[in-house]
Amino acid sequence: MTVLERLKALRELMKERKIDAYLVPTDDFHASEYVGDYFKCRKYITGFTGSAGTAVIMQDMAGLWTDGRYFLQAADQLEGSTIQLFKMGEPEVPTVHQFLADKLEKGMCLGFDGRTVTAREAGKLEELLREKEITFSVNDDLIGEIWSDRPALSCEPVMELDVKWAGESRADKIAKIRKQMKEKKADIFVLTSLDDIAWFLNIRGNDVHCCPVVLSYLVMTDEELRLFVNETVFSEEIRANLEADGVEIYPYNDVYSYVQTIDADQKVLLSKANVNSRLVSNIPAEVTILDEENLTLLPKAIKNETEVENERIAHIKDGVAVTRFIRWMKETVGKEKITELSAAKKLCQFRSEQENFLGDSFDPIIAYGKHAAIVHYSATEETDIPFEARGMVLADTGGHYLEGSTDITRTVVLGPVTDKEKKYFTAVLRGNLNLGAAKFKYGCTGLNLDYIAREPLWAMGEDYNHGTGHGIGYLLNVHEGPNSIRWKNIAGSPAAVLEEGMLTSDEPGYYLENEFGIRHENIVLCKKAEKTSFGQFMCFEYLTMVPFDLDGVDPEQMSERERNLLNEYHRDVYKALSPYLNEDEKEWLKQATREI
């Protein structure tokens, strides 16, 4: 069916069920950022393939809300669909909540699949629409009813992560979380975030593309730990190891009936921002719910010594692969045909030559020329274009290794560039270097530091429409909370203190529609610096080891300090990578990291 046919079928079903508006978020049943094919209901009903967005379908209109990363992509993919694009955060554009509050009339019915909407979001909607006496229909998956060729739920085999990679045993993690439960006076801990469960149990899977997680729910008391999952994904050995640590296996969907049996005098700790509304609504009303962040959130984000050392190794391996890739692009363009898709395959080949490489940490973004102005552009057979020996290509890619996950962006010059391109290339690089060199007092969040990266652009009255940094998981999700670097506070998502051991991206950018796009990204490790009478100071260590393309740099725009920062970084890159390169590669890298 076409998008228009799908909308018609959904509206007929809504009319039959007396549902006036149907909300379709991007989420799976676990509030994941990226979701498996089974859960891509929003993509199915709208045709928009971006990783973030919410659709609202009514009889007389349909709308899609997405953020600045996807404005250009969404406008293109929604063309001819009759679906209106709402550009989130833009002036006079209503939020989804504002739209529903304005559009829904008294006594109307709002529908959604309660498994794909968090308990916190459902609560906000109920509060928002109470005065209009809006009713809710949340137990039906209407998209699933019209999606005749829907993919099956993923059930990929599970891998157990050895302590030499994880740095801490499953048993020790369980003991620590149970201790936290006692401190919180919680009888039961409900955990549904897939990356938290994978981290907690030292398991990895493949149930979400590029995210090594396992579809599962976890419920823990002081005496038992139940994992609700498709039991066929475990080998006998892994299942026995789990059972030895007190982990009992139950069918995936049984979690909903299990929580109905919780005694009224129990206290259940869960995060309503992560647990879906149907699961929470199945907990008896008399039960006390302690709505707090997941107990695993900070321990997962603060990497232990083993994880940190392994990540250093992973980034050197990745640096070798990406550096070879950059050299190959610059030396091959104009001599052989290279396209966005073939370049991505070539980079994957370079990475696969590294020991313990497991796969991409996200779909590669290889964007040439004006395509790079689309922040999260993803090449397809229809959009794939060849490189020319001019202009720039933006390569935002990453890999999963047993030693950890990587995420790196380099904007590479393939030939002559304009003064304007050099101007913004250099401004973005200055922001990246200055943020990476920041020293700050303990207690700062990314809100305190974001200005450092944006200042060169803000001084020109320019900006970029995305955050500057996100946390990164250890052989897990490439986007991981709670740490981030952004200038704007987000309601309900307070900025986290930057702790020693957190990994965060440093990725300012600049995008000029229909012309070019630039982004420079390194992963930084938060570390303690000196402690003085004013308190504990913190700093960053670069983990990413790949040269920035000096062919795009205008040294005249840089201060002496900024030039020194770049030269120092490039000295570190050469020292880290040269032992793993042949003589020709070393000579190329020496030139690529020359002092300016």
Side-chain angles (χ1 to χ4, degrees):
M1 288 194 291
T2 65
V3 169
L4 290 174
E5 289 170 335
R6 294 167 188 169
L7 287 171
K8 181 182 178 183
L10 176 60
R11 284 173 171 141
E12 288 174 355
L13 201 53
M14 289 168 59
K15 197 169 185 179
E16 177 187 313
R17 306 284 173 85
K18 296 182 170 52
I19 295 172
D20 300 288
Y22 197 70
L23 183 72
V24 189
T26 298
D27 291 3
D28 57 14
F29 304 160
H30 306 272
S32 305
E33 177 184 11
Y34 300 109
V35 302
D37 289 341
Y38 175 88
F39 298 103
K40 293 183 178 178
C41 294
R42 191 225 62 225
K43 173 186 173 183
Y44 177 80
I45 201 64
T46 66
F48 168 60
T49 61
S51 67
T54 300
V56 175
I57 315 299
M58 301 184 72
Q59 293 297 336
D60 61 347
M61 68 81 61
L64 173 81
W65 282 255
T66 193
D67 61 51
R69 296 172 296 170
Y70 296 112
F71 288 168
L72 296 178
Q73 177 182 338
D76 180 57
Q77 292 181 330
L78 295 180
E79 190 172 352
S81 70
T82 71
I83 299 172
Q84 181 181 349
L85 173 60
F86 290 83
K87 297 181 177 181
M88 291 168 58
E90 294 294 287
E92 299 181 12
V93 174
T95 65
V96 174
H97 285 195
Q98 290 167 341
F99 174 85
L100 291 172
D102 179 61
K103 190 78 171 175
L104 292 178
E105 297 176 5
K106 189 170 183 178
M108 279 188 166
C109 178
L110 173 64
F112 52 80
D113 180 351
R115 297 170 298 176
T116 64
V117 173
T118 67
R120 181 171 296 176
E121 173 68 3
K124 288 180 180 177
L125 288 170
E126 289 171 7
E127 180 67 26
L128 174 74
L129 302 172
R130 182 171 289 130
E131 285 188 8
K132 286 194 170 184
E133 299 176 11
I134 302 299
T135 59
F136 291 83
S137 175
V138 299
N139 293 318
D140 294 323
D141 174 12
L142 298 192
I143 304 293
E145 293 187 37
I146 65 171
W147 192 352
S148 58
D149 58 347
R150 186 175 193 170
L153 270 176
S154 177
C155 56
E156 293 285 321
V158 168
M159 172 183 78
E160 191 167 17
L161 201 63
D162 193 275
V163 174
K164 70 179 180 180
W165 309 118
E168 188 175 14
S169 71
R170 176 168 50 237
D172 286 344
K173 291 179 180 180
I174 291 170
K176 288 181 179 178
I177 297 301
R178 281 195 167 125
K179 182 181 178 183
Q180 286 190 57
M181 287 173 60
K182 286 183 179 178
E183 292 170 355
K184 301 278 188 181
K185 294 181 170 53
D187 301 297
I188 299 173
F189 175 38
V190 175
L191 185 64
T192 67
S193 305
L194 301 182
D195 60 327
D196 285 271
I197 294 172
W199 172 86
F200 188 36
L201 299 182
N202 284 351
I203 58 175
R204 299 295 188 270
N206 191 32
D207 283 338
V208 178
H209 180 57
C210 293
C211 301
V213 295
V214 184
L215 284 175
S216 53
Y217 304 92
L218 185 149
V219 179
M220 187 166 74
T221 70
D222 191 46
E223 296 179 348
E224 66 173 2
L225 194 161
R226 297 186 179 221
L227 182 66
F228 297 87
V229 65
N230 185 332
E231 64 178 359
T232 64
V233 302
F234 296 109
S235 67
E236 287 298 322
E237 180 184 1
I238 295 176
R239 182 162 183 163
N241 292 342
L242 287 165
E243 289 175 353
D245 287 326
V247 181
E248 303 170 72
I249 307 297
Y250 292 86
Y252 177 62
N253 287 314
D254 281 9
V255 67
Y256 295 94
S257 57
Y258 172 76
V259 297
Q260 293 174 6
T261 69
I262 295 175
D263 292 337
D265 62 349
Q266 299 285 283
K267 291 183 179 178
V268 177
L269 191 150
L270 55 78
S271 169
K272 287 188 176 181
N274 300 104
V275 178
N276 73 59
S277 59
R278 189 182 297 184
L279 194 153
V280 173
S281 67
N282 272 276
I283 297 173
E286 302 82 15
V287 172
T288 300
I289 292 180
L290 307 175
D291 179 17
E292 300 189 22
E293 67 180 24
N294 285 331
L295 299 178
T296 50
L297 185 67
L298 269 181
K300 173 167 57 74
I302 300 172
K303 277 43 180 184
N304 60 49
E305 291 181 9
T306 299
E307 290 172 318
V308 167
E309 189 51 42
N310 284 339
E311 282 281 5
R312 289 191 179 105
I313 295 169
H315 279 82
I316 289 175
K317 289 182 176 183
D318 208 58
V320 170
V322 177
T323 298
R324 285 174 172 158
F325 172 67
I326 292 172
R327 179 194 179 204
W328 170 79
M329 280 197 299
K330 291 176 74 70
E331 292 185 348
T332 306
V333 67
K335 300 174 185 175
E336 300 175 17
K337 183 179 180 180
I338 307 174
T339 72
E340 294 166 328
L341 288 178
S342 71
K345 289 179 181 177
K346 187 69 174 181
L347 177 52
C348 189
Q349 175 189 320
F350 282 123
R351 282 194 167 112
S352 65
E353 294 168 359
Q354 298 298 315
E355 186 181 15
N356 295 331
F357 174 69
L358 300 177
D360 291 336
S361 58
F362 57 97
D363 283 327
I365 298 168
I366 308 286
Y368 175 65
K370 66 181 182 181
H371 280 173
I374 305 171
V375 178
H376 274 206
Y377 169 79
S378 183
T380 65
E381 296 291 345
E382 293 74 29
T383 66
D384 188 29
I385 57 174
F387 295 175
E388 299 177 31
R390 62 179 179 84
M392 303 178 293
V393 59
L394 187 156
D396 184 352
T397 68
H400 286 310
Y401 301 80
L402 284 174
E403 293 89 352
S405 302
T406 68
D407 182 2
I408 172 176
T409 309
R410 287 295 182 266
T411 304
V412 181
V413 174
L414 298 181
V417 290
T418 66
D419 289 343
K420 180 163 72 171
E421 287 170 325
K422 274 197 169 188
K423 171 185 174 182
Y424 290 111
F425 187 105
T426 306
V428 175
L429 178 58
R430 289 170 56 210
N432 176 285
L433 293 168
N434 288 329
L435 176 58
K439 185 178 284 187
F440 50 96
K441 280 186 68 175
Y442 176 75
C444 282
T445 73
L447 292 173
N448 300 105
L449 304 185
D450 184 271
Y451 171 73
I452 301 172
R454 293 183 195 265
E455 192 277 334
L457 289 171
W458 280 6
M460 297 186 282
E462 304 280 8
D463 200 5
Y464 49 94
N465 205 357
H466 58 75
T468 298
H470 58 82
I472 186 168
Y474 182 91
L475 185 48
L476 274 174
N477 295 357
V478 76
H479 293 159
E480 178 181 274
N483 45 312
S484 67
I485 299 173
R486 60 179 191 259
W487 71 270
K488 201 173 187 178
N489 217 346
I490 300 175
S493 181
V497 170
L498 294 169
E499 302 278 357
E500 183 177 35
M502 284 181 169
L503 305 182
T504 312
S505 68
D506 168 6
E507 50 179 315
Y510 182 75
Y511 314 91
L512 198 56
E513 187 173 351
N514 291 320
E515 290 195 40
F516 59 84
I518 296 160
R519 187 160 63 253
H520 303 308
E521 177 186 18
N522 282 347
I523 301 302
V524 294
L525 167 68
C526 187
K527 299 172 61 176
K528 287 181 179 177
E530 70 268 27
K531 189 174 185 178
T532 73
S533 59
F534 291 100
Q536 178 68 56
F537 283 83
M538 311 296 289
C539 63
F540 291 130
E541 171 193 333
Y542 285 123
L543 293 187
T544 306
M545 288 286 125
V546 174
F548 293 104
D549 195 339
L550 294 176
D551 292 339
V553 176
D554 179 4
E556 296 298 315
Q557 293 183 40
M558 304 175 74
S559 67
E560 182 180 358
R561 175 179 179 272
E562 290 165 343
R563 291 193 294 270
N564 287 337
L565 288 175
L566 180 56
N567 290 335
E568 182 181 346
Y569 174 70
H570 275 164
R571 285 194 292 270
D572 290 341
V573 168
Y574 185 82
K575 182 179 178 181
L577 301 188
S578 57
Y580 306 97
L581 304 176
N582 63 36
E583 290 306 314
D584 287 345
E585 291 168 338
K586 284 183 187 178
E587 193 56 40
W588 182 88
L589 183 60
K590 186 178 292 184
Q591 176 65 15
T593 57
R594 66 191 181 276
E595 289 205 356
I596 62 169

